[in-house]
Amino acid sequence: MKLSEIVAKIGGELFGVDVEVGQLAPLESADGTAIAFLSNPKYHHQLSDTQAAAVIVHPSVVDVPEHLSIIRSDDPYLYFAQLAWLFHPRAQANHQRHPSAVVADSAIVPASCEIGAHAYVGEHTVLGENCRVLAGAVIEHDCVLGDDCVIHPNVTVYHGCTLGQRVEIHSGTVIGGDGFGYAPVKADGSWFKIPQTGGVTLADDVEIGSNSTVDRGALEDTRIGRGSKIDNFVQIAHNCQVGEHTVIASCTGISGSCKIGNHVVIAGGVGMAGHLTIADKTFIGGGTNITKSITEAGHYASVYPMQTFKEWSKNAVYVRRLADMNGRIKQLEQHIAALGGAKE
Amino acid sequence: MKLSEIVAKIGGELFGVDVEVGQLAPLESADGTAIAFLSNPKYHHQLSDTQAAAVIVHPSVVDVPEHLSIIRSDDPYLYFAQLAWLFHPRAQANHQRHPSAVVADSAIVPASCEIGAHAYVGEHTVLGENCRVLAGAVIEHDCVLGDDCVIHPNVTVYHGCTLGQRVEIHSGTVIGGDGFGYAPVKADGSWFKIPQTGGVTLADDVEIGSNSTVDRGALEDTRIGRGSKIDNFVQIAHNCQVGEHTVIASCTGISGSCKIGNHVVIAGGVGMAGHLTIADKTFIGGGTNITKSITEAGHYASVYPMQTFKEWSKNAVYVRRLADMNGRIKQLEQHIAALGGAKE
Amino acid sequence: MKLSEIVAKIGGELFGVDVEVGQLAPLESADGTAIAFLSNPKYHHQLSDTQAAAVIVHPSVVDVPEHLSIIRSDDPYLYFAQLAWLFHPRAQANHQRHPSAVVADSAIVPASCEIGAHAYVGEHTVLGENCRVLAGAVIEHDCVLGDDCVIHPNVTVYHGCTLGQRVEIHSGTVIGGDGFGYAPVKADGSWFKIPQTGGVTLADDVEIGSNSTVDRGALEDTRIGRGSKIDNFVQIAHNCQVGEHTVIASCTGISGSCKIGNHVVIAGGVGMAGHLTIADKTFIGGGTNITKSITEAGHYASVYPMQTFKEWSKNAVYVRRLADMNGRIKQLEQHIAALGGAKE
């Protein structure tokens, strides 16, 4: 692909020779067939050594070696991502229904869709154009999918769920399983299941990683807003409302009835108690336990710092005595004051 | 449904007009076709404003507006749950074996069962009456299931597992995978797999959420007792013995050979080391790391409190110096004592 | 099986009568048909009471009751594991392709393999000899598997992944799902997906538990080295490089681009930030949050200690004030020094 073709497709401004490039590569490992990018200024020094044929750089970057062709873009990282799709186009629906697939009589599946081996589409489910439902995926009855959805192998979508346009769900993920709701039976301490009669709504451009779960609502739908991206092993419990363009990284569990705003970023391994609200644009650090609502955007954390086991053993024991230590400090302060020490 | 019909089916005492209701709804959003419930006293004030046609209340509740029909029940929340099933009856086995399903010759599958598309039932497996094995579910050989079990799509039950009556397993969950057991080989530091020859036994009325795992025992069965409810993403490692009517919420990992009592409640995101015992009726708060057995029922917790990242950065560093801080306090106390301060 | 047959197969030295044994059992519960083992010296006292017919012991063990036959081995625990396989031989490929399985025309599947009901093998995928691909498992196109692999039911292997010899993957696990990579779009705060064009390579003798995920690399393969063992619910994000004979227990999340050494042991519930390096032979305790690289082997931990909720409530509040407490101690020290206290 010539640089001029790339610029014609994605934009940016070309400087230098209109060379041909065959692949994307990091600055440090690129060879003469590759185009690289410089996004983080701290790698600027790699420009002088790179073997790449061309580099994508911000307009403000100076000191680019003369022999390098460059494409200037306001956002080199985004440009790289867009260019990557030119080299690795997205797989398209093959417009075939595999003979082993089972599509219920009342389901509506346009001819433009791809239905893989052993996939299942239930009664009254309606698919948009060009959807891909891959091997072993199950979409139960009464679901609605927009156009261009990709349902990877062995995904399960329970009945009555709604997916927007271009929703992508990776393997093993379960959408619409029952929320965890039981009424305690006082007589014998047993648990009486509450029917979960809502569904799940995933808005346009939502992507969900592998082996995640989004439970159906108890009465109304659990919802994930437009453009939000959910990683692997994320649990979204019943009745949650996740906003737009929000990102939730792996191994995070969101308890029931939480309301998470727009443009929120939740790092990996976060746990969140139920019925909480998270303000728009909040950033939650990895491993945080969220036990209260966050009403103000900011960066929040709660990780116990790592040490060697020996050091940890010495120190952790005092975590259990902090109130006592504080009391002792207070007493010392009183004694000092009594002894004439200037207490602030 | 008339209120008198509801009372005839579920019990309780009817006061006021025997109106017809078509659905359940919260007090605050109910309209004139709905029946609502009041369980938590703090919502009592909603009674005066509700548009509901009828309300389920405890016998002790007074000041109910005159125009409201009421059903009095000793447990309005449980009553609501029972009523919800009248409006949303549980799906029943359709008594059909889908042509694409594969049932091994030696398996016993009563005609009352529903076997979904691409489901698989292995050799010598025996199903009870009215079981539902839904699309893509796999039950390997030599399993026994009681009556009325529901195995949701893409569940896997490994060979040799035993499920009681009315066991329900949600999609993606794996029952009976190998426990994580290896003998270290001193010669080269490699790991030699120990065969996991036990199975899994799930007693009557156990329900397990989506994408959970219950590993088979090394020698004997891993067991979950009658009526226990397990949420999504719960790992129950090999040889664990979970009691009756115990509840384990999402994202919780129980290491091998733990013994958890009856009526225990474990909130989400809990981690539990191996070979521990938890007393009956213990409550474990969300995010707790259980590193010792709990011999006395109570409420336990171990969450590092959340702060803004800035505050966290300032404080967390001292967690690593707690032993030092305690030593300094002790020294100050000695100095104070030497200086004549009254040391308690 | 006679003890002499066992010794002929596994090694060790036989002392006493060459009795016949029919099973393995723990010392304390073995009956006269069973062989037991003593690995941990603290159970030595059980030798005198055991009903076992024979016991595997270390050459250094003395005081074995006269009536007991013994096999002496340098590593009784490993010997037990090896013996267990004699009693419970590994299931072998049945050399059959189930009629409901779908194998793409261009796939290469030797006749020695077992392909289960509703399993799927994609275009150009190549399997080694004696592989078992069980019910509902999906191996997409362009994968390569070595000999003797076992792919349990409902596993998904995305396209372009490489598995060595004797790789075993348990149910629900997803190999090669897309890594979690998006470029932020400054204009509207949305996220632009970066194609994940690498694959996953699992070396010889890797075993992965149930419902785990190993994401494909962004540019190059995510790799797990020879002999490493991964438990259930482990997330290995894109571009990670896991060494050889490393063990990762359940509910652990490894963020992208981490490099974990050889012979590392990571206990359950561990979270690890991205782009970190872990030295060979490191041991990470359960529940640890790893936020920095570990350059020196050792035992590391970061668990907040558990208390009753009442005690926790009293103490945890001071975690947020540790910097303040430290400042107060420092001030007291200055006052004490001013008052004539000998400050060390």
Side-chain angles (χ1 to χ4, degrees):
Chain A
M1 208 175 305
K2 287 196 131 182
L3 298 183
S4 55
E5 291 175 66
I6 292 172
V7 167
K9 279 178 178 148
I10 311 184
E13 209 173 348
L14 168 62
F15 296 87
V17 184
D18 184 17
V19 294
E20 195 145 338
V21 291
Q23 58 180 316
L24 273 159
L27 270 173
E28 55 180 350
S29 63
D31 66 16
T33 68
I35 178 167
F37 74 102
L38 173 67
S39 173
N40 189 333
K42 82 172 178 191
Y43 296 118
H44 185 282
H45 66 278
Q46 295 185 343
L47 273 185
S48 51
D49 295 329
T50 188
Q51 303 298 310
V55 183
I56 306 156
V57 297
H58 190 268
S60 65
V61 170
V62 294
D63 296 334
V64 182
E66 294 239 339
H67 70 278
L68 274 178
S69 296
I70 58 177
I71 294 175
R72 291 198 181 273
S73 157
D74 284 343
D75 190 341
Y77 188 53
L78 177 61
Y79 200 99
F80 144 76
Q82 293 170 313
L83 179 52
W85 285 111
L86 292 189
F87 286 113
H88 303 277
R90 198 181 291 267
Q92 298 297 316
N94 67 8
H95 310 324
Q96 289 175 11
R97 194 182 290 189
H98 195 278
S100 67
V102 171
V103 175
D105 290 344
S106 59
I108 298 179
V109 175
S112 62
C113 290
E114 169 175 357
I115 310 294
H118 310 120
Y120 174 76
V121 180
E123 299 287 353
H124 304 293
T125 282
V126 178
L127 270 57
E129 298 289 337
N130 295 304
C131 286
R132 305 181 72 212
V133 179
L134 299 175
V138 171
I139 303 176
E140 291 194 333
H141 58 89
D142 296 297
C143 293
V144 177
L145 279 71
D147 299 336
D148 302 305
C149 289
V150 184
I151 310 298
H152 285 274
N154 288 328
V155 162
T156 305
V157 180
Y158 276 58
H159 58 92
C161 293
T162 306
L163 281 61
Q165 316 280 332
R166 297 170 301 280
V167 169
E168 182 160 6
I169 303 177
H170 286 277
S171 291
T173 285
V174 178
I175 304 297
D178 278 356
F180 197 59
Y182 302 88
V185 180
K186 286 159 194 164
D188 62 356
S190 68
W191 301 90
F192 186 86
K193 183 178 173 81
I194 297 165
Q196 304 292 305
T197 61
V200 171
T201 295
L202 307 177
D204 294 349
D205 298 302
V206 165
E207 180 166 6
I208 302 184
S210 302
N211 278 348
S212 283
T213 55
V214 183
D215 280 353
R216 63 193 314 109
L219 289 168
E220 299 180 341
D221 278 15
T222 304
R223 282 170 205 280
I224 298 182
R226 190 167 51 102
S228 286
K229 311 295 184 186
I230 313 285
D231 199 353
N232 303 348
F233 288 133
V234 174
Q235 147 80 348
I236 310 276
H238 56 176
N239 313 321
C240 284
Q241 309 289 316
V242 176
E244 302 190 349
H245 306 303
T246 278
V247 167
I248 304 179
S250 182
C251 303
T252 287
I254 312 290
S255 299
S257 303
C258 286
K259 195 153 184 284
I260 297 175
N262 303 320
H263 304 289
V264 172
V265 175
I266 299 181
V270 168
M272 188 166 162
H275 297 271
L276 303 184
T277 300
I278 304 294
D280 290 353
K281 301 192 180 173
T282 296
F283 180 93
I284 309 285
T288 301
N289 281 292
I290 310 176
T291 49
K292 289 184 184 172
S293 288
I294 294 177
T295 54
E296 202 174 337
H299 179 168
Y300 294 84
S302 77
V303 180
Y304 192 99
M306 185 179 75
Q307 293 191 290
T308 64
F309 181 76
K310 197 173 155 189
E311 289 295 317
W312 175 84
S313 305
K314 276 201 309 205
N315 290 297
V317 64
Y318 292 105
V319 170
R320 306 191 192 207
R321 307 188 198 162
L322 281 173
D324 173 61
M325 283 168 68
N326 186 68
R328 289 159 64 200
I329 294 173
K330 199 179 281 179
Q331 215 160 54
L332 286 164
E333 288 168 338
Q334 287 164 355
H335 288 311
I336 286 287
L339 287 166
K343 204 188 160 206
E344 278 182 317
Chain B
M1 206 176 307
K2 288 197 131 181
L3 297 183
S4 54
E5 291 175 66
I6 292 172
V7 168
K9 280 178 177 148
I10 311 183
E13 208 173 346
L14 170 61
F15 295 86
V17 184
D18 184 16
V19 294
E20 193 144 339
V21 289
Q23 58 181 319
L24 274 158
L27 271 174
E28 54 179 351
S29 63
D31 64 17
T33 69
I35 179 167
F37 74 101
L38 173 67
S39 173
N40 189 332
K42 83 172 175 191
Y43 296 119
H44 186 283
H45 66 280
Q46 295 184 344
L47 273 185
S48 49
D49 294 330
T50 188
Q51 302 298 311
V55 183
I56 306 158
V57 297
H58 191 268
S60 65
V61 171
V62 292
D63 296 333
V64 182
E66 294 240 337
H67 69 278
L68 274 177
S69 297
I70 59 177
I71 294 176
R72 293 198 180 273
S73 157
D74 283 343
D75 192 340
Y77 188 54
L78 178 59
Y79 200 99
F80 146 76
Q82 292 170 316
L83 179 53
W85 286 111
L86 292 190
F87 287 114
H88 301 278
R90 200 181 289 269
Q92 298 298 316
N94 67 8
H95 310 325
Q96 291 176 9
R97 193 181 290 190
H98 194 279
S100 66
V102 171
V103 175
D105 290 344
S106 59
I108 298 179
V109 175
S112 62
C113 291
E114 169 174 357
I115 310 295
H118 310 121
Y120 175 76
V121 180
E123 299 287 353
H124 304 292
T125 282
V126 178
L127 269 56
E129 298 289 337
N130 296 304
C131 287
R132 305 179 73 210
V133 180
L134 300 175
V138 172
I139 303 176
E140 290 194 334
H141 58 87
D142 295 297
C143 293
V144 177
L145 279 71
D147 301 335
D148 302 306
C149 289
V150 184
I151 310 300
H152 285 274
N154 289 328
V155 162
T156 304
V157 180
Y158 276 60
H159 59 91
C161 293
T162 306
L163 280 61
Q165 316 280 332
R166 296 170 302 277
V167 170
E168 181 160 6
I169 303 178
H170 287 277
S171 292
T173 285
V174 178
I175 304 296
D178 279 357
F180 197 60
Y182 303 88
V185 180
K186 286 161 194 160
D188 62 357
S190 68
W191 301 91
F192 186 86
K193 184 179 173 79
I194 297 165
Q196 304 292 304
T197 62
V200 171
T201 295
L202 306 178
D204 295 348
D205 298 302
V206 166
E207 180 165 6
I208 302 184
S210 303
N211 279 346
S212 283
T213 56
V214 183
D215 279 353
R216 64 192 315 110
L219 289 169
E220 299 180 343
D221 279 14
T222 304
R223 282 169 205 279
I224 297 182
R226 189 167 52 101
S228 286
K229 311 296 184 186
I230 313 288
D231 199 355
N232 303 347
F233 289 132
V234 173
Q235 146 81 346
I236 310 276
H238 57 176
N239 313 319
C240 283
Q241 309 288 315
V242 176
E244 302 190 349
H245 304 304
T246 278
V247 166
I248 304 179
S250 181
C251 302
T252 286
I254 311 290
S255 298
S257 303
C258 286
K259 193 153 185 284
I260 297 175
N262 304 320
H263 304 290
V264 172
V265 174
I266 299 180
V270 168
M272 188 164 161
H275 297 270
L276 303 184
T277 300
I278 303 294
D280 291 352
K281 302 193 181 174
T282 297
F283 180 92
I284 310 286
T288 299
N289 281 291
I290 310 176
T291 50
K292 288 184 182 171
S293 288
I294 294 177
T295 54
E296 201 175 338
H299 180 166
Y300 294 84
S302 79
V303 179
Y304 192 99
M306 184 179 74
Q307 295 191 288
T308 64
F309 182 77
K310 198 174 155 189
E311 289 297 315
W312 175 84
S313 305
K314 275 199 311 203
N315 291 298
V317 64
Y318 293 106
V319 170
R320 308 189 191 208
R321 305 190 199 161
L322 281 173
D324 173 61
M325 282 168 67
N326 185 67
R328 288 158 64 201
I329 293 173
K330 198 179 280 178
Q331 215 161 52
L332 285 165
E333 288 168 338
Q334 287 164 357
H335 287 311
I336 286 286
L339 286 167
K343 203 189 162 205
E344 279 179 315
Chain C
M1 206 177 304
K2 289 198 129 181
L3 297 182
S4 55
E5 291 175 68
I6 292 172
V7 167
K9 281 178 177 149
I10 311 183
E13 210 173 346
L14 169 62
F15 297 86
V17 185
D18 184 16
V19 295
E20 193 143 341
V21 289
Q23 58 181 316
L24 275 158
L27 272 174
E28 53 180 349
S29 63
D31 65 18
T33 68
I35 178 167
F37 73 101
L38 174 68
S39 173
N40 189 333
K42 82 171 175 190
Y43 297 117
H44 186 281
H45 66 279
Q46 295 184 345
L47 273 185
S48 49
D49 294 329
T50 187
Q51 302 299 312
V55 183
I56 307 156
V57 297
H58 191 267
S60 65
V61 171
V62 293
D63 296 332
V64 181
E66 294 241 339
H67 69 277
L68 273 178
S69 297
I70 58 178
I71 294 175
R72 291 197 181 276
S73 158
D74 283 343
D75 191 339
Y77 188 54
L78 178 59
Y79 199 98
F80 145 76
Q82 292 169 315
L83 179 52
W85 285 111
L86 292 190
F87 287 113
H88 302 278
R90 201 181 289 267
Q92 299 297 317
N94 68 6
H95 310 324
Q96 290 175 10
R97 193 182 293 189
H98 194 279
S100 67
V102 172
V103 175
D105 289 344
S106 58
I108 299 179
V109 175
S112 63
C113 290
E114 169 176 357
I115 310 295
H118 310 120
Y120 174 76
V121 180
E123 299 287 353
H124 304 292
T125 282
V126 178
L127 269 57
E129 298 290 337
N130 296 305
C131 287
R132 306 180 72 213
V133 180
L134 298 175
V138 171
I139 303 176
E140 291 194 332
H141 58 88
D142 295 296
C143 293
V144 178
L145 278 72
D147 300 335
D148 302 305
C149 290
V150 184
I151 309 299
H152 285 274
N154 289 329
V155 162
T156 304
V157 181
Y158 277 58
H159 59 92
C161 293
T162 306
L163 280 61
Q165 317 280 330
R166 298 170 300 280
V167 170
E168 182 162 4
I169 303 178
H170 287 277
S171 292
T173 285
V174 178
I175 305 297
D178 278 358
F180 196 60
Y182 302 88
V185 180
K186 285 159 195 161
D188 61 357
S190 68
W191 301 91
F192 186 88
K193 183 178 173 82
I194 296 166
Q196 303 292 305
T197 62
V200 170
T201 295
L202 307 178
D204 295 349
D205 298 302
V206 165
E207 181 167 4
I208 302 184
S210 303
N211 278 348
S212 284
T213 56
V214 183
D215 281 351
R216 65 195 310 111
L219 289 168
E220 298 180 341
D221 279 14
T222 303
R223 282 170 203 279
I224 298 182
R226 189 168 51 101
S228 286
K229 312 295 185 187
I230 313 286
D231 200 354
N232 304 347
F233 288 133
V234 174
Q235 147 80 344
I236 311 277
H238 57 177
N239 313 320
C240 283
Q241 309 289 315
V242 176
E244 301 190 351
H245 306 302
T246 278
V247 167
I248 304 179
S250 181
C251 303
T252 286
I254 311 291
S255 300
S257 303
C258 285
K259 195 155 183 285
I260 297 174
N262 302 321
H263 304 289
V264 172
V265 175
I266 299 181
V270 168
M272 188 165 162
H275 298 270
L276 302 184
T277 299
I278 304 294
D280 291 353
K281 303 193 180 173
T282 297
F283 180 92
I284 309 285
T288 300
N289 281 291
I290 311 175
T291 49
K292 288 185 183 171
S293 288
I294 294 177
T295 54
E296 201 175 337
H299 179 167
Y300 294 84
S302 79
V303 179
Y304 192 100
M306 185 180 73
Q307 294 191 288
T308 62
F309 181 77
K310 198 174 153 187
E311 289 297 316
W312 174 85
S313 304
K314 276 199 311 204
N315 290 298
V317 63
Y318 292 106
V319 170
R320 306 190 192 207
R321 305 189 198 162
L322 281 172
D324 172 61
M325 283 168 68
N326 186 68
R328 288 158 65 199
I329 294 173
K330 198 179 278 177
Q331 215 161 51
L332 285 164
E333 289 168 338
Q334 286 164 355
H335 287 311
I336 285 289
L339 286 167
K343 201 186 160 206
E344 277 180 319

